[in-house]
Amino acid sequence: MFSFREAWTVAPGGLCRTLHSVARRRPLRVPAMPVPAPLSLSFGRAPWWLSATRRSISCKMSENGVASRRGKVLTLDTMNPRIKRVEYAVRGPIVQRAVQIEKELKEGAKKPFTEVIKANIGDAHAMGQQPITFFRQVMALCAYPELLNSSQFPEDAKNRAKTILQSCGGGSIGAYSASQGIEYVRQDVARYIEKRDNGIPSNPDNIYLSTGASDAIVTTLKLLMCGEGMSRTGVMIPIPQYPLYSAALAELGAVQVDYYLNEERCWSLDVSELRRSLEAARKHCNPRVLCIINPGNPTGQVQSRECIEEVIRFAAQERLFLMADEVYQDNVYADGCQFHSFKKVLFEMGPQYSDTLELVSYHSTSKCYMGECGFRGGYMEVINMDAEVKAQLTKLVSVRLCPPVPGQVMMDLVANTPQPGDPSHSTFIKEKSATLNTLAERARLTEEILNTVPGIQCNPVQGAMYSFPRITIPERAVQKAKEKGQAPDMFYCMNLLEETGICVVPGSGFGQKEGTYHFRMTILPPTEKLKILLNKLKEFHLRFTQQYS
């Protein structure tokens, strides 16, 4: 064996290896003699030879591919590069700064305003919209069945809760459901679609309940992704678009294929633009999917029946898979506008189209008059999907076990509302009508006030919950934004937030034509607060324009 002295006097570069070798064979024994100061074994600084040993062992571990204890396995350099390309403007830097400002205000910071008004996201209840009484009554009864013995709830609410609970495992909404969703709820959703579409049949087996519409949209896109290089799937999305689409496509590695809505014609959809976009995309990918948002987000337009027919013909001719995002279908305000579902129009166009065109449409509990975002309820209906692919879809959703059961309950209540003669019917109709009428008034108010501001142009808010006004930004402000490394409309919106407390989202987060600038704001704030918001925005724009002119 090596003695301690022999180990210590090994040539430089071999010391730590020798000690390491000795240690593996037999514990190193220190001689029972006074230890020289350099070899002190006190609990203070480690001896030089021990530090050298540790460094050498660390180097040896690195050489052998073993990570240092101090290094992270997951870093920006080693994480999924697709995730780094994901952007979601609705909750991006502007909103993060708004949250910081709220904290600063609570801590007593002095600002030119006393509160942050978040007009960045379509979260109705967060902006003060009241829930529908019947919906919350049934939810309460389902969550705590002991309340079924209470006299404070109407009988139709109790009966609905009992029926829903009977369809749940163990009579509890705390149990898992079938992966596709509770069968009773899917049957109610199918009947809702049939009624909405003037009797066109809907099969519950084609209904998939989901965690809001967003989850269903991403699930559909997952099925459609394939190919490499020139054969990689291309997905046509409207510009401006809801950032869910661009974010999902970035994450999935698909090719985003932009088609532009016509701002001069109230954000209408022109099939000639679809064709231009498709032909350009075929030079570098395989466009297979066409996404439509109707009513529009962020643009608020409502498509005419004639437009929908043209889109269906185009999709059929070009063999495109059609995705119809229809979550704002009750939010239609403008005179002469009406919601037409893509499924209804498809079937009314006859078997030439209805027997072949592949269509998935989406709805949610989060928008319309409900605004129940937090419950995360939604559904998709698949039409003409290949049977084997549909089996794969069912397998895919089963991986997540099931959508949230409270969200499924909320979706059932939206699909099967109180009927005439029911104790809750009159209250339900009153609350629903009041909510939609108020939104219509706010849509009109937003358009009117914004269009009084020089340098702001706002199209009519025909539907949905947003306006997407175009803004003129002076050249000096554009240059200032470039110096800061910001998009000009981001610079504008950030200044708006810092000076007024108003939080809106820059149009660059949704996409827009080169050289144009916009922002998206919701019409959800209470009417009096909305007036304050719009007037403060007007004053800011005039001040901003003068400052940078």
Side-chain angles (χ1 to χ4, degrees):
M1 60 173 276
F2 289 121
S3 69
F4 176 74
R5 183 174 296 280
E6 288 170 334
W8 188 27
T9 57
V10 171
L15 172 64
C16 61
R17 286 193 291 272
T18 304
L19 288 173
H20 183 62
S21 177
V22 170
R24 285 188 301 175
R25 290 184 177 88
R26 183 176 298 177
L28 183 66
R29 284 188 281 183
V30 179
M33 57 183 289
V35 179
L39 296 179
S40 171
L41 298 180
S42 70
F43 290 101
R45 183 175 178 181
W48 72 266
W49 57 265
L50 184 56
S51 297
T53 301
R54 288 172 177 165
R55 287 196 299 271
S56 180
I57 292 173
S58 177
C59 292
K60 192 71 176 177
M61 290 175 68
S62 297
E63 290 170 6
N64 292 336
V66 181
S68 167
R69 289 184 179 181
R70 294 183 180 180
K72 300 290 187 183
V73 173
L74 183 61
T75 68
L76 278 175
D77 292 330
T78 62
M79 71 174 287
N80 184 343
R82 291 176 178 174
I83 301 300
K84 290 189 285 186
R85 291 194 291 269
V86 171
E87 294 183 2
Y88 189 63
V90 174
R91 298 199 178 197
I94 290 281
V95 183
Q96 294 167 16
R97 177 58 185 145
V99 171
Q100 289 179 340
I101 290 175
E102 284 184 319
K103 291 180 180 179
E104 292 170 8
L105 287 171
K106 288 180 180 178
E107 293 169 357
K110 299 299 182 183
K111 303 281 184 182
F113 48 88
T114 57
E115 67 171 333
V116 173
I117 303 177
K118 291 182 180 177
N120 61 294
I121 194 167
D123 190 348
H125 290 184
M127 299 303 294
Q129 182 175 309
Q130 295 302 301
I132 298 296
T133 301
F134 179 77
F135 293 174
R136 289 302 183 89
Q137 286 175 333
V138 177
M139 287 299 308
L141 291 163
C142 287
Y144 189 56
E146 290 295 320
L147 293 175
L148 289 166
N149 299 319
S150 170
S151 60
Q152 294 182 337
F153 295 85
E155 287 304 311
D156 55 344
K158 290 183 179 181
N159 292 336
R160 178 68 64 82
K162 291 175 184 176
T163 303
I164 291 172
L165 290 172
Q166 289 169 3
S167 69
C168 296
S172 171
I173 62 172
Y176 288 129
S177 75
S179 297
Q180 197 169 337
I182 298 169
E183 183 177 1
Y184 167 77
V185 178
R186 289 188 288 114
Q187 290 172 348
D188 271 355
V189 169
R191 283 189 285 268
Y192 162 81
I193 293 172
E194 287 183 5
K195 182 178 179 181
R196 180 198 69 187
D197 293 343
N198 298 331
I200 294 170
S202 176
N203 185 346
D205 289 339
N206 290 335
I207 304 296
Y208 287 77
L209 302 181
S210 59
T211 309
S214 299
D215 181 62
I217 290 167
V218 174
T219 298
T220 308
L221 289 172
K222 287 180 179 178
L223 288 176
L224 287 153
M225 296 303 104
C226 72
E228 297 291 338
M230 289 282 292
S231 66
R232 194 155 56 124
T233 295
V235 181
M236 302 178 67
I237 65 172
I239 298 297
Q241 52 102 26
Y242 177 50
L244 163 69
Y245 291 91
S246 56
L249 296 179
E251 180 182 351
L252 296 172
V255 178
Q256 177 177 317
V257 178
D258 298 343
Y259 66 87
Y260 290 90
L261 302 177
N262 190 331
E263 183 172 10
E264 284 65 37
R265 294 176 56 190
C266 204
W267 299 113
S268 64
L269 193 162
D270 192 334
V271 171
S272 64
E273 169 60 14
L274 291 180
R275 196 168 304 281
R276 179 208 63 78
S277 173
L278 180 68
E279 291 173 357
R282 281 178 172 160
K283 296 176 182 178
H284 59 89
C285 69
N286 179 22
R288 306 171 64 209
V289 192
L290 173 58
C291 298
I292 306 290
I293 307 175
N294 179 50
N297 176 9
T299 47
Q301 88 285 2
V302 179
Q303 292 179 1
S304 67
R305 181 192 170 89
E306 291 72 25
C307 177
I308 294 173
E309 289 180 0
E310 289 180 0
V311 170
I312 289 172
R313 292 190 192 97
F314 172 79
Q317 179 184 353
E318 301 295 342
R319 300 191 70 248
L320 296 172
F321 190 103
L322 190 56
M323 296 173 61
D325 181 341
E326 300 175 333
V327 301
Y328 295 97
Q329 56 192 258
D330 287 318
N331 298 111
V332 178
Y333 318 121
D335 292 339
C337 290
Q338 181 181 352
F339 171 76
H340 300 275
S341 77
F342 268 79
K343 182 192 174 185
K344 178 174 77 75
V345 176
L346 174 67
F347 277 80
E348 288 176 349
M349 290 174 68
Q352 174 186 358
Y353 299 100
S354 61
D355 288 351
T356 58
L357 184 69
E358 295 156 271
L359 168 69
V360 182
S361 57
Y362 309 90
H363 194 20
S364 166
T365 66
S366 300
K367 309 304 177 183
C368 299
Y369 62 92
M370 304 86 69
E372 295 283 9
C373 303
F375 281 102
R376 309 308 301 131
Y379 75 77
M380 61 179 166
E381 182 183 26
V382 301
I383 304 296
N384 293 324
M385 181 173 280
D386 179 90
E388 293 180 339
V389 173
K390 189 178 172 187
Q392 294 296 314
L393 170 60
T394 303
K395 177 186 74 174
L396 183 59
V397 299
S398 70
V399 172
R400 297 186 180 180
L401 296 177
C402 70
V405 173
Q408 296 185 52
V409 173
M410 186 59 69
M411 192 72 253
D412 182 77
L413 300 174
V414 172
N416 185 7
T417 57
Q419 299 302 302
D422 291 344
S424 301
H425 180 258
S426 60
T427 300
F428 168 75
I429 293 298
K430 180 181 178 180
E431 292 174 343
K432 175 183 176 180
S433 299
T435 298
L436 293 175
N437 289 340
T438 299
L439 288 172
E441 170 62 19
R442 293 173 188 167
R444 182 194 60 77
L445 185 69
T446 300
E447 176 197 350
E448 284 186 1
I449 293 180
L450 288 179
N451 280 330
T452 65
V453 186
I456 297 183
Q457 296 172 276
C458 182
N459 273 319
V461 183
Q462 296 176 333
M465 296 177 171
Y466 317 97
S467 65
F468 196 67
R470 184 169 177 171
I471 53 177
T472 300
I473 298 181
E475 185 57 32
R476 282 185 58 217
V478 172
Q479 294 304 317
K480 186 71 172 179
K482 289 180 179 178
E483 292 172 10
K484 288 177 166 285
Q486 295 179 343
D489 47 11
M490 170 65 82
F491 178 71
Y492 178 96
C493 291
M494 194 64 81
N495 276 268
L496 174 66
L497 174 63
E498 297 287 354
E499 293 185 27
T500 68
I502 296 171
C503 179
V504 298
V505 189
S508 50
F510 301 87
Q512 56 197 348
K513 281 191 174 181
E514 187 71 26
T516 67
Y517 307 111
H518 303 78
F519 63 81
R520 189 193 80 161
M521 61 166 282
T522 76
I523 61 170
L524 290 173
T527 302
E528 290 309 310
K529 184 171 287 189
L530 180 63
K531 290 178 181 177
I532 294 171
L533 183 158
L534 292 169
N535 284 317
K536 290 177 74 172
L537 200 159
K538 177 178 180 178
E539 293 170 0
F540 165 81
H541 184 83
L542 295 174
R543 187 169 62 250
F544 180 89
T545 300
Q546 184 177 19
Q547 178 182 353
Y548 288 102
S549 293

